[in-house]
Amino acid sequence: MQRLVVIGNGMAGARTVEEILSRGGDFTITMFGDEPYGNYNRIMLSNLLAGVEDESGIFLNDLGWYADNGITLHHGRRIVRIDKHAKQVYADDGTATGYDKLIIATGSRAHIPPIPGIHRPKRGYHQGVFAFRTLDDTRGMIRYARDHERAVVIGGGLLGLEAARGLQSHLSRVTLVHSAGHLMNTQLDAQGGAILKGSIEKLGIEVITGARTTEILGRDRVTGVRLGDGRTIGCDVVVVAAGIRANSDVAEVSGLAVERGIVVDDQMRALGEPDIYAVGECVQHRGETYGLVAPLWDQAKVLADHLTGRDPQAAYHGSRVATKLKVAGVDVAAMGLKEPERDDDETLVFAEPRRGVYKSVIIRDGRLVGATLVGDVRKVAFLMQAFDRGLALPEDRAELMFDIGGPPAEVSAAELADDAQVCNCNGVTKGTIAACVQGGCKTVNGVMDRTKAGKGCGTCKGLVQQIVEWAAGGEVEEDPAASWYVPGVPMPKPELMRAIREHELRSVSAVFAKLAPGGEDAKSKMGLASLLKMMWGDGYVDERDARFINDRVHANIQRDGTFSVVPQMKGGVTTPAQLKRIAEVAERHQVPMVKLTGGQRIDLLGVPKDRLPQIWADLDMPSGWAYGKSFRTVKTCVGSEFCRFGVGDSTALGIAIEERYQGIEGPGKMKLAVTGCPRNCAEAYVKDLGVVAIDGGKWEIYVGGAAGAHVRKGDLLATVDSADEVLTLTGRFLQYYRENANWLERTYAFVPRVGIERIRSLVVDDSEGIAAGLDEAIGRSVAAYRDPWKEREAPATPGQFRTSLPLTVLT
């Protein structure tokens, strides 16, 4: 059995190992990775930055996958030298590892232009400056952006646009500065780039093109950037997304041939080295380097075929680059040439700047050699087929851009070739999807899980579904798990609740014992605990291991393992005495940060777990419920008491709502607001439940709003005449949501799914006679309320507040 060592645990390295394993290669495999985790999808970092994806959703292979496949992974260790004569690699800790075959998959690194002020001696990047390349980069941006207001992104390519869009979730102003004359100048021509610029500006991002950044300003931290024309832009965050460079240093210092990347032949061997291979963004093949994933997957297949002997003659001849993606929410597709190169090249261009639509195609000798689409990509499937396979083009060339009797906008699943790439992000072909279906997996989600198709940017999910339906011959099976409330109990929510009542299951362990064929499931515990407490109130049997850490210690865990403490301020109203007490407690306990929250509360950040009981006791205030999946806060304006425009006492009503429904559990967190007039100072229109005072002493109730990573104006549930009616309908709607929403489904997803007309019919009009039951159920939950911070006097378990710091990295 040969020793295979892989330097690099990124997308290319891990994918190559997957290809080798699938071919049954006879190797003991050792991998080295700079980062201290498994393999994750870098394409999804923009979604993580924008808040539409969490970290667990971007990992392709967790650490368990390596162990399951007999792979030794040294994560967090960098290889610094290769001894190609002794066939050993040396890590930064001085250890040596021998190999018979070596694969270098070190990827690329962010290109950081030599801008004065971007670095500080002995400190690395200046405070407030970030690259956008790794998971740690993204984490750092999110953490820093929380306390700042304005960002400048340097670079108007794909990464820069994605960074700018993601930062909008955290900062009030984002400016993008690009040195070229138009955005995405590598993929788009000037007209297409200009139309993309208009679409990006409509999203609220300021775009400055043709501008070179000449200096990062600020002595102790970033305060702005200076441009080549002398202009300055004030900012406190700078993100550099100015492209990538092959990460080929280890190959160069080890004597391998390196130009713009590690030079390889058609079998992906390093030049002149029979036992050393290279793959991915660190590679230069026939003079080309690639920054998209599709060529990387092609390289991985050729390398695996050659190395395992499955096809010793396998050869990589380069890739025809064609890609379809969403750039900052705008559909863009590009393939081949972006501009004509010969006098006899045919060129068709359609531009509609008002709608943000641009289309161009380039034809040479009757073949499609280039196409660019911005804003409208309905014809991209046919264009990609024509570009990749040289399909015959319609005589009426306009049919390439529009459906006027020519090729349909969507190529059917049957028409696609087996080797047509469906998922660009993960390099999945139609043939791979069809083989998965023919292997017995006939659910769409099951196929996506097994092949990873649709698990990247998500734009191909519709086509994946079509292929599954085609391959299954109309016998697609519904994924049963899609309707389960939690993954470990095979029941949808209504059926699960009936079974819980029928069998009197009052604890999470009892539910698992009776209803879960696979035994306990850690991912299901938190959802079940919330559901049981909602159903049984005081009769719920609390098992602490079923709770997330936030719920076990009644505080919000932070990145460094400390916690934040948010005392209750009903309706955002406080007193001088309360403020003084909070200040004294913060001073006494040396709280690192005191912060005003978006919900009109005061947050004490950086509190060690063992100090929580004492801080609660010193504050002598109730919990503000700034953690967990529960009713959180009611934000209010000053209303009619002080405001010249107020027509309703929003403060009093907000306090009344918070006093009544404080802390009740739900499938997702619930944020509320009451505003004293339609000027909406308390942002009631974009809350899970918002109440707005209008003329005539009336109140409007809105549900299903959001203003975080998702933005949605709530739907009008009802207009009522009194505050008492507001309280009743608030409780009734919240209870209906608690009983019927999926686990982790916020109201902004629940309301559109069910439909506001149906919710209004049930909750307001009582069309099915359930209103009294909802009122009674919410009343029981209200009666069962206990301030969780009282556990300071009688901890639920002996180790409830035992310190867990300092955190240590597990091997």
Side-chain angles (χ1 to χ4, degrees):
M1 185 175 288
Q2 290 188 301
R3 299 168 298 170
L4 173 63
V5 170
V6 181
I7 305 174
N9 185 38
M11 295 176 71
R15 180 57 172 260
T16 302
V17 170
E18 289 179 351
E19 296 285 354
I20 290 169
L21 292 173
S22 71
R23 289 159 175 74
D26 192 19
F27 298 101
T28 59
I29 302 175
T30 302
M31 299 184 73
F32 290 85
D34 285 357
E35 297 179 84
Y37 344 94
N39 165 41
Y40 62 86
N41 187 345
R42 293 187 194 278
I43 297 166
M44 299 296 284
L45 289 176
S46 56
N47 284 350
L48 180 64
L49 178 61
V52 299
E53 185 66 80
D54 59 31
E55 289 190 8
S56 62
I58 74 170
F59 278 88
L60 298 170
N61 298 309
D62 60 18
L63 295 177
W65 176 83
Y66 298 86
D68 293 343
N69 286 281
I71 299 167
T72 300
L73 172 64
H74 299 294
H75 51 83
R77 284 170 66 182
R78 178 190 295 268
I79 295 299
V80 295
R81 184 169 65 88
I82 303 164
D83 186 335
K84 58 186 181 181
H85 303 293
K87 287 194 170 184
Q88 287 193 319
V89 297
Y90 293 88
D92 52 6
D93 61 357
T95 58
T97 303
Y99 67 85
D100 298 305
K101 300 291 183 182
L102 176 67
I103 298 174
I104 305 172
T106 45
S108 60
R109 60 178 178 270
H111 169 57
I112 307 299
I115 302 171
I118 206 166
H119 292 100
R120 283 292 182 267
K122 300 180 181 179
R123 234 174 61 186
Y125 292 133
H126 191 18
Q127 184 171 332
V129 174
F130 299 89
F132 185 30
R133 188 65 189 155
T134 68
L135 177 55
D136 281 345
D137 292 337
T138 310
R139 285 171 170 172
M141 274 190 274
I142 294 171
R143 189 168 62 249
Y144 196 79
R146 288 174 184 154
D147 303 317
H148 296 86
E149 296 298 326
R150 182 169 181 179
V152 166
V153 178
I154 300 173
L158 172 60
L159 276 179
L161 289 162
E162 290 290 287
R165 183 59 169 158
L167 287 168
Q168 282 190 299
S169 299
H170 309 282
L171 298 160
S172 58
R173 294 187 65 186
V174 178
T175 300
L176 187 144
V177 176
H178 190 43
S179 59
H182 64 273
L183 297 179
M184 290 188 70
N185 52 290
T186 302
Q187 294 86 9
L188 305 180
D189 62 18
Q191 191 173 7
I195 288 177
L196 177 61
K197 176 176 181 284
S199 297
I200 297 300
E201 288 175 331
K202 287 178 182 177
L203 299 173
I205 298 170
E206 180 185 8
V207 179
I208 303 174
T209 54
R212 189 168 58 89
T213 306
T214 58
E215 188 178 0
I216 307 294
L217 305 176
R219 181 175 179 179
D220 300 316
R221 56 183 176 78
V222 168
T223 59
V225 300
R226 179 174 287 117
L227 305 183
D229 59 8
R231 281 182 292 173
T232 61
I233 303 172
C235 65
D236 34 35
V237 178
V238 171
V239 175
V240 183
I244 58 175
R245 296 291 184 270
N247 206 359
S248 53
D249 293 353
V250 67
E252 191 167 9
V253 301
S254 303
L256 302 184
V258 174
E259 294 176 7
R260 288 192 300 138
I262 304 169
V263 182
V264 297
D265 63 16
D266 289 353
Q267 281 70 48
M268 307 309 297
R269 287 175 298 217
L271 204 61
E273 302 294 340
D275 297 318
I276 301 178
Y277 298 77
V279 65
E281 291 176 339
C282 64
V283 157
Q284 177 182 312
H285 173 265
R286 297 190 182 185
E288 295 289 335
T289 58
Y290 297 96
L292 297 171
V293 293
L296 277 55
W297 302 158
D298 294 340
Q299 294 172 5
K301 291 173 184 175
V302 168
L303 196 162
D305 279 342
H306 181 75
L307 192 61
T308 61
R310 179 172 174 174
D311 181 3
Q313 305 308 313
Y316 177 64
H317 300 298
S319 297
R320 290 170 61 83
V321 177
T323 186
K324 171 179 175 278
L325 34 80
K326 269 192 185 293
V327 182
V330 180
D331 286 310
V332 175
M335 60 203 78
L337 301 180
K338 64 178 179 178
E339 294 174 306
E341 294 179 344
R342 299 180 183 174
D343 292 340
D344 59 348
D345 285 344
E346 294 181 60
T347 305
L348 285 82
V349 175
F350 172 81
E352 193 176 355
R354 185 182 61 82
R355 290 181 56 231
V357 173
Y358 176 77
K359 306 180 185 187
S360 79
V361 295
I362 303 170
I363 301 164
R364 178 180 298 163
D365 300 328
R367 292 191 58 171
L368 183 70
V369 294
T372 302
L373 304 173
V374 177
D376 179 2
V377 295
R378 286 175 291 178
K379 296 292 290 186
V380 70
F382 174 77
L383 291 172
M384 279 189 166
Q385 287 283 92
F387 172 74
D388 194 47
R389 310 195 174 280
L391 300 181
L393 304 180
E395 286 299 319
D396 186 347
R397 302 302 201 208
E399 293 175 4
L400 291 168
M401 294 182 173
F402 308 101
D403 289 326
I404 51 177
E410 294 293 337
V411 174
S412 70
E415 292 175 294
L416 284 171
D418 281 349
D419 60 350
Q421 191 146 282
V422 174
C423 177
N424 287 327
C425 295
N426 291 312
V428 186
T429 64
K430 172 193 169 182
T432 301
I433 296 171
C436 183
V437 175
Q438 289 152 11
C441 183
K442 295 187 177 182
T443 68
V444 175
N445 284 340
V447 170
M448 289 171 62
D449 286 340
R450 292 191 189 185
T451 66
K452 296 187 175 72
K455 294 289 189 176
C457 69
T459 57
C460 64
K461 286 182 179 179
L463 184 55
V464 172
Q465 181 172 349
Q466 290 177 33
I467 294 171
V468 172
E469 291 169 352
W470 167 80
E475 297 181 4
V476 176
E477 299 171 2
E478 183 178 347
D479 185 359
S483 64
W484 298 352
Y485 185 62
V486 291
V489 182
M491 292 181 177
K493 188 173 186 178
E495 183 182 334
L496 175 60
M497 291 174 68
R498 283 196 297 272
I500 287 170
R501 289 194 180 98
E502 178 185 345
H503 298 291
E504 292 267 332
L505 306 175
R506 295 176 180 267
S507 70
V508 171
S509 60
V511 173
F512 282 135
K514 187 70 178 179
L515 305 178
E520 291 200 2
D521 173 63
K523 294 180 180 178
S524 302
K525 287 185 175 183
M526 191 175 169
L528 287 174
S530 173
L531 181 66
L532 290 170
K533 191 167 185 182
M534 184 269 289
M535 292 176 64
W536 296 116
D538 275 344
Y540 161 63
V541 178
D542 186 7
E543 296 170 327
R544 307 301 281 199
D545 69 338
R547 298 189 184 201
F548 180 58
I549 179 62
N550 286 8
D551 298 298
R552 292 202 300 272
V553 301
H554 316 301
N556 200 5
I557 193 166
Q558 304 299 301
R559 173 181 168 82
D560 61 356
T562 63
F563 292 82
S564 76
V565 170
V566 181
Q568 186 181 60
M569 291 179 178
K570 296 172 186 174
V573 176
T574 186
T575 65
Q578 219 174 46
L579 289 174
K580 183 178 179 182
R581 190 184 315 144
I582 292 171
E584 289 172 345
V585 169
E587 198 170 58
R588 185 180 313 138
H589 291 273
Q590 299 180 322
V591 173
M593 179 180 286
V594 180
K595 179 107 175 47
L596 299 180
T597 74
Q600 300 175 333
R601 305 298 188 268
I602 293 177
D603 195 352
L604 307 179
L605 290 143
V607 179
K609 184 167 66 170
D610 57 320
R611 287 198 191 173
L612 290 172
Q614 189 57 53
I615 279 191
W616 296 340
D618 291 350
L619 284 170
D620 194 26
M621 296 170 67
S623 168
W625 288 93
Y627 57 88
K629 309 304 176 190
S630 64
F631 182 106
R632 295 217 172 174
T633 58
V634 181
K635 189 173 182 177
T636 69
C637 65
V638 296
S640 57
E641 190 172 359
F642 289 98
C643 181
R644 291 181 296 123
F645 305 104
V647 294
D649 191 350
S650 57
T651 304
L653 180 54
I655 291 171
I657 293 173
E658 188 163 344
E659 283 180 338
R660 178 160 176 78
Y661 300 117
Q662 58 189 343
I664 60 170
E665 279 81 7
K669 54 190 174 186
M670 295 163 275
K671 296 181 178 180
L672 286 76
V674 183
T675 191
C677 76
R679 286 175 175 81
N680 194 35
C681 293
E683 303 161 354
Y685 292 120
V686 288
K687 296 296 185 185
D688 292 287
L689 189 148
V691 182
V692 180
I694 60 174
D695 288 333
K698 297 179 180 293
W699 299 90
E700 292 178 333
I701 303 173
Y702 290 84
V703 295
H710 303 271
V711 179
R712 182 180 192 272
K713 182 182 178 183
D715 295 320
L716 180 63
L717 177 68
T719 301
V720 298
D721 297 321
S722 68
D724 288 341
E725 290 175 278
V726 171
L727 279 166
T728 298
L729 288 182
T730 296
R732 195 177 295 169
F733 167 76
L734 292 177
Q735 184 63 24
Y736 181 74
Y737 162 68
R738 296 169 77 208
E739 291 183 5
N740 294 280
N742 298 321
W743 175 238
L744 301 182
E745 182 180 31
R746 290 288 298 274
T747 61
Y748 59 73
F750 171 74
V751 170
R753 175 171 67 82
V754 177
I756 188 60
E757 292 82 6
R758 169 130 180 100
I759 293 173
R760 188 182 296 124
S761 169
L762 295 170
V763 171
V764 181
D765 302 332
D766 195 19
S767 60
E768 296 184 11
I770 64 172
L774 294 174
D775 294 343
E776 182 183 352
I778 196 71
R780 286 197 301 269
S781 291
V782 168
Y785 174 76
R786 300 289 183 275
D787 178 13
W789 286 3
K790 295 293 185 183
E791 285 184 9
R792 64 180 180 265
E793 299 160 1
T797 62
Q800 183 177 4
F801 300 109
R802 187 178 298 138
T803 184
S804 56
L805 295 178
L807 297 178
T808 57
V809 178
L810 299 177
T811 59

mmCIF file of all heavy atoms in Angstrom, residues 385-412:
data_model
loop_
_atom_site.group_PDB
_atom_site.id
_atom_site.type_symbol
_atom_site.label_atom_id
_atom_site.label_comp_id
_atom_site.label_asym_id
_atom_site.label_seq_id
_atom_site.Cartn_x
_atom_site.Cartn_y
_atom_site.Cartn_z
ATOM 1 N N GLN A 385 -24.896 24.902 -23.415
ATOM 2 C CA GLN A 385 -24.809 23.702 -24.249
ATOM 3 C C GLN A 385 -24.167 24.037 -25.606
ATOM 4 O O GLN A 385 -23.306 23.325 -26.092
ATOM 5 C CB GLN A 385 -26.203 23.126 -24.471
ATOM 6 C CG GLN A 385 -26.781 22.459 -23.236
ATOM 7 C CD GLN A 385 -26.174 21.088 -23.022
ATOM 8 O OE1 GLN A 385 -25.186 20.958 -22.313
ATOM 9 N NE2 GLN A 385 -26.767 20.080 -23.605
ATOM 10 N N ALA A 386 -24.622 25.139 -26.214
ATOM 11 C CA ALA A 386 -24.092 25.530 -27.518
ATOM 12 C C ALA A 386 -22.604 25.864 -27.427
ATOM 13 O O ALA A 386 -21.809 25.503 -28.296
ATOM 14 C CB ALA A 386 -24.874 26.721 -28.056
ATOM 15 N N PHE A 387 -22.213 26.553 -26.359
ATOM 16 C CA PHE A 387 -20.818 26.929 -26.171
ATOM 17 C C PHE A 387 -19.938 25.707 -25.948
ATOM 18 O O PHE A 387 -18.860 25.563 -26.526
ATOM 19 C CB PHE A 387 -20.710 27.887 -24.982
ATOM 20 C CG PHE A 387 -19.301 28.212 -24.567
ATOM 21 C CD1 PHE A 387 -18.516 29.058 -25.340
ATOM 22 C CD2 PHE A 387 -18.761 27.678 -23.409
ATOM 23 C CE1 PHE A 387 -17.217 29.355 -24.968
ATOM 24 C CE2 PHE A 387 -17.466 27.966 -23.029
ATOM 25 C CZ PHE A 387 -16.691 28.814 -23.810
ATOM 26 N N ASP A 388 -20.410 24.782 -25.105
ATOM 27 C CA ASP A 388 -19.597 23.636 -24.705
ATOM 28 C C ASP A 388 -19.530 22.579 -25.803
ATOM 29 O O ASP A 388 -18.516 21.908 -25.968
ATOM 30 C CB ASP A 388 -20.171 23.035 -23.420
ATOM 31 C CG ASP A 388 -19.206 22.065 -22.763
ATOM 32 O OD1 ASP A 388 -18.021 22.411 -22.633
ATOM 33 O OD2 ASP A 388 -19.642 20.952 -22.397
ATOM 34 N N ARG A 389 -20.614 22.422 -26.575
ATOM 35 C CA ARG A 389 -20.692 21.296 -27.511
ATOM 36 C C ARG A 389 -20.749 21.705 -28.975
ATOM 37 O O ARG A 389 -20.840 20.854 -29.856
ATOM 38 C CB ARG A 389 -21.926 20.436 -27.191
ATOM 39 C CG ARG A 389 -21.970 20.099 -25.726
ATOM 40 C CD ARG A 389 -22.913 18.979 -25.388
ATOM 41 N NE ARG A 389 -22.734 18.670 -23.985
ATOM 42 C CZ ARG A 389 -21.743 17.916 -23.508
ATOM 43 N NH1 ARG A 389 -20.879 17.375 -24.336
ATOM 44 N NH2 ARG A 389 -21.608 17.704 -22.224
ATOM 45 N N GLY A 390 -20.728 22.998 -29.209
ATOM 46 C CA GLY A 390 -20.734 23.445 -30.601
ATOM 47 C C GLY A 390 -22.034 23.143 -31.310
ATOM 48 O O GLY A 390 -22.033 22.794 -32.503
ATOM 49 N N LEU A 391 -23.167 23.252 -30.595
ATOM 50 C CA LEU A 391 -24.462 22.965 -31.210
ATOM 51 C C LEU A 391 -24.730 23.939 -32.353
ATOM 52 O O LEU A 391 -24.248 25.079 -32.362
ATOM 53 C CB LEU A 391 -25.576 23.086 -30.171
ATOM 54 C CG LEU A 391 -25.499 22.168 -28.941
ATOM 55 C CD1 LEU A 391 -26.701 22.419 -28.047
ATOM 56 C CD2 LEU A 391 -25.435 20.709 -29.344
ATOM 57 N N ALA A 392 -25.553 23.467 -33.308
ATOM 58 C CA ALA A 392 -25.960 24.341 -34.408
ATOM 59 C C ALA A 392 -26.780 25.501 -33.861
ATOM 60 O O ALA A 392 -27.627 25.316 -32.970
ATOM 61 C CB ALA A 392 -26.780 23.543 -35.421
ATOM 62 N N LEU A 393 -26.540 26.688 -34.396
ATOM 63 C CA LEU A 393 -27.222 27.881 -33.911
ATOM 64 C C LEU A 393 -28.366 28.235 -34.842
ATOM 65 O O LEU A 393 -28.307 27.977 -36.053
ATOM 66 C CB LEU A 393 -26.233 29.053 -33.819
ATOM 67 C CG LEU A 393 -24.988 28.812 -32.964
ATOM 68 C CD1 LEU A 393 -24.100 30.054 -32.973
ATOM 69 C CD2 LEU A 393 -25.366 28.429 -31.552
ATOM 70 N N PRO A 394 -29.424 28.849 -34.324
ATOM 71 C CA PRO A 394 -30.556 29.214 -35.181
ATOM 72 C C PRO A 394 -30.151 30.281 -36.193
ATOM 73 O O PRO A 394 -29.297 31.134 -35.927
ATOM 74 C CB PRO A 394 -31.597 29.740 -34.189
ATOM 75 C CG PRO A 394 -30.807 30.166 -33.000
ATOM 76 C CD PRO A 394 -29.648 29.229 -32.911
ATOM 77 N N GLU A 395 -30.767 30.228 -37.355
ATOM 78 C CA GLU A 395 -30.472 31.223 -38.386
ATOM 79 C C GLU A 395 -30.825 32.620 -37.910
ATOM 80 O O GLU A 395 -30.117 33.590 -38.185
ATOM 81 C CB GLU A 395 -31.234 30.880 -39.670
ATOM 82 C CG GLU A 395 -30.666 29.695 -40.434
ATOM 83 C CD GLU A 395 -29.241 29.937 -40.888
ATOM 84 O OE1 GLU A 395 -28.930 31.062 -41.330
ATOM 85 O OE2 GLU A 395 -28.413 29.011 -40.773
ATOM 86 N N ASP A 396 -31.963 32.725 -37.229
ATOM 87 C CA ASP A 396 -32.347 34.012 -36.646
ATOM 88 C C ASP A 396 -31.602 34.135 -35.320
ATOM 89 O O ASP A 396 -32.007 33.581 -34.303
ATOM 90 C CB ASP A 396 -33.862 34.063 -36.427
ATOM 91 C CG ASP A 396 -34.332 35.439 -35.965
ATOM 92 O OD1 ASP A 396 -33.463 36.252 -35.586
ATOM 93 O OD2 ASP A 396 -35.544 35.696 -35.966
ATOM 94 N N ARG A 397 -30.487 34.856 -35.331
ATOM 95 C CA ARG A 397 -29.603 34.896 -34.166
ATOM 96 C C ARG A 397 -30.299 35.457 -32.923
ATOM 97 O O ARG A 397 -29.894 35.173 -31.790
ATOM 98 C CB ARG A 397 -28.362 35.743 -34.467
ATOM 99 C CG ARG A 397 -27.542 35.259 -35.659
ATOM 100 C CD ARG A 397 -27.067 33.836 -35.516
ATOM 101 N NE ARG A 397 -25.920 33.560 -36.366
ATOM 102 C CZ ARG A 397 -25.621 32.370 -36.851
ATOM 103 N NH1 ARG A 397 -26.418 31.336 -36.589
ATOM 104 N NH2 ARG A 397 -24.544 32.191 -37.598
ATOM 105 N N ALA A 398 -31.323 36.258 -33.096
ATOM 106 C CA ALA A 398 -32.024 36.821 -31.943
ATOM 107 C C ALA A 398 -32.623 35.737 -31.067
ATOM 108 O O ALA A 398 -32.887 35.946 -29.877
ATOM 109 C CB ALA A 398 -33.109 37.784 -32.406
ATOM 110 N N GLU A 399 -32.850 34.551 -31.668
ATOM 111 C CA GLU A 399 -33.411 33.449 -30.884
ATOM 112 C C GLU A 399 -32.441 32.963 -29.808
ATOM 113 O O GLU A 399 -32.829 32.244 -28.886
ATOM 114 C CB GLU A 399 -33.783 32.293 -31.818
ATOM 115 C CG GLU A 399 -34.941 32.634 -32.746
ATOM 116 C CD GLU A 399 -35.221 31.523 -33.743
ATOM 117 O OE1 GLU A 399 -34.557 30.458 -33.646
ATOM 118 O OE2 GLU A 399 -36.102 31.694 -34.597
ATOM 119 N N LEU A 400 -31.157 33.357 -29.925
ATOM 120 C CA LEU A 400 -30.199 33.017 -28.874
ATOM 121 C C LEU A 400 -30.466 33.803 -27.598
ATOM 122 O O LEU A 400 -30.059 33.390 -26.507
ATOM 123 C CB LEU A 400 -28.773 33.309 -29.346
ATOM 124 C CG LEU A 400 -28.222 32.402 -30.450
ATOM 125 C CD1 LEU A 400 -26.935 32.976 -31.010
ATOM 126 C CD2 LEU A 400 -28.001 30.997 -29.916
ATOM 127 N N MET A 401 -31.131 34.948 -27.741
ATOM 128 C CA MET A 401 -31.377 35.818 -26.589
ATOM 129 C C MET A 401 -32.818 35.771 -26.111
ATOM 130 O O MET A 401 -33.089 35.988 -24.930
ATOM 131 C CB MET A 401 -31.040 37.270 -26.947
ATOM 132 C CG MET A 401 -29.575 37.542 -27.222
ATOM 133 S SD MET A 401 -29.353 39.297 -27.576
ATOM 134 C CE MET A 401 -27.572 39.407 -27.662
ATOM 135 N N PHE A 402 -33.743 35.484 -27.038
ATOM 136 C CA PHE A 402 -35.164 35.578 -26.688
ATOM 137 C C PHE A 402 -35.907 34.359 -27.223
ATOM 138 O O PHE A 402 -35.503 33.751 -28.216
ATOM 139 C CB PHE A 402 -35.783 36.849 -27.295
ATOM 140 C CG PHE A 402 -35.022 38.096 -26.988
ATOM 141 C CD1 PHE A 402 -34.168 38.656 -27.930
ATOM 142 C CD2 PHE A 402 -35.132 38.700 -25.750
ATOM 143 C CE1 PHE A 402 -33.445 39.808 -27.657
ATOM 144 C CE2 PHE A 402 -34.414 39.848 -25.461
ATOM 145 C CZ PHE A 402 -33.576 40.401 -26.411
ATOM 146 N N ASP A 403 -37.005 34.033 -26.579
ATOM 147 C CA ASP A 403 -37.865 32.943 -27.032
ATOM 148 C C ASP A 403 -38.822 33.475 -28.094
ATOM 149 O O ASP A 403 -39.899 33.996 -27.779
ATOM 150 C CB ASP A 403 -38.659 32.352 -25.854
ATOM 151 C CG ASP A 403 -37.749 31.566 -24.930
ATOM 152 O OD1 ASP A 403 -36.799 30.960 -25.417
ATOM 153 O OD2 ASP A 403 -38.004 31.588 -23.706
ATOM 154 N N ILE A 404 -38.419 33.341 -29.345
ATOM 155 C CA ILE A 404 -39.293 33.779 -30.442
ATOM 156 C C ILE A 404 -39.395 32.654 -31.466
ATOM 157 O O ILE A 404 -39.261 32.847 -32.661
ATOM 158 C CB ILE A 404 -38.777 35.075 -31.091
ATOM 159 C CG1 ILE A 404 -37.282 34.946 -31.464
ATOM 160 C CG2 ILE A 404 -38.989 36.261 -30.179
ATOM 161 C CD1 ILE A 404 -36.723 36.164 -32.185
ATOM 162 N N GLY A 405 -39.610 31.464 -30.946
ATOM 163 C CA GLY A 405 -39.749 30.305 -31.810
ATOM 164 C C GLY A 405 -38.476 29.486 -31.916
ATOM 165 O O GLY A 405 -38.452 28.469 -32.579
ATOM 166 N N GLY A 406 -37.414 29.928 -31.258
ATOM 167 C CA GLY A 406 -36.136 29.230 -31.307
ATOM 168 C C GLY A 406 -36.016 28.251 -30.163
ATOM 169 O O GLY A 406 -37.014 27.768 -29.615
ATOM 170 N N PRO A 407 -34.819 27.962 -29.734
ATOM 171 C CA PRO A 407 -34.596 27.012 -28.646
ATOM 172 C C PRO A 407 -35.285 27.489 -27.381
ATOM 173 O O PRO A 407 -35.331 28.694 -27.105
ATOM 174 C CB PRO A 407 -33.065 27.020 -28.465
ATOM 175 C CG PRO A 407 -32.540 27.575 -29.746
ATOM 176 C CD PRO A 407 -33.577 28.510 -30.265
ATOM 177 N N PRO A 408 -35.867 26.596 -26.602
ATOM 178 C CA PRO A 408 -36.550 27.021 -25.378
ATOM 179 C C PRO A 408 -35.562 27.598 -24.385
ATOM 180 O O PRO A 408 -34.375 27.285 -24.421
ATOM 181 C CB PRO A 408 -37.164 25.715 -24.848
ATOM 182 C CG PRO A 408 -36.306 24.632 -25.429
ATOM 183 C CD PRO A 408 -35.867 25.133 -26.767
ATOM 184 N N ALA A 409 -36.081 28.449 -23.506
ATOM 185 C CA ALA A 409 -35.218 29.068 -22.497
ATOM 186 C C ALA A 409 -34.574 28.009 -21.615
ATOM 187 O O ALA A 409 -33.422 28.124 -21.229
ATOM 188 C CB ALA A 409 -36.025 30.045 -21.647
ATOM 189 N N GLU A 410 -35.324 26.975 -21.280
ATOM 190 C CA GLU A 410 -34.793 25.928 -20.425
ATOM 191 C C GLU A 410 -34.592 24.650 -21.247
ATOM 192 O O GLU A 410 -35.538 24.137 -21.833
ATOM 193 C CB GLU A 410 -35.767 25.637 -19.264
ATOM 194 C CG GLU A 410 -35.915 26.801 -18.294
ATOM 195 C CD GLU A 410 -34.644 27.078 -17.528
ATOM 196 O OE1 GLU A 410 -33.810 26.169 -17.407
ATOM 197 O OE2 GLU A 410 -34.496 28.208 -17.045
ATOM 198 N N VAL A 411 -33.353 24.186 -21.329
ATOM 199 C CA VAL A 411 -33.098 22.903 -21.960
ATOM 200 C C VAL A 411 -33.637 21.819 -21.035
ATOM 201 O O VAL A 411 -33.385 21.828 -19.835
ATOM 202 C CB VAL A 411 -31.586 22.715 -22.188
ATOM 203 C CG1 VAL A 411 -31.293 21.327 -22.714
ATOM 204 C CG2 VAL A 411 -31.084 23.775 -23.155
ATOM 205 N N SER A 412 -34.389 20.879 -21.581
ATOM 206 C CA SER A 412 -34.991 19.850 -20.733
ATOM 207 C C SER A 412 -33.918 18.917 -20.209
ATOM 208 O O SER A 412 -32.830 18.803 -20.782
ATOM 209 C CB SER A 412 -36.033 19.059 -21.528
ATOM 210 O OG SER A 412 -35.390 18.247 -22.493
#
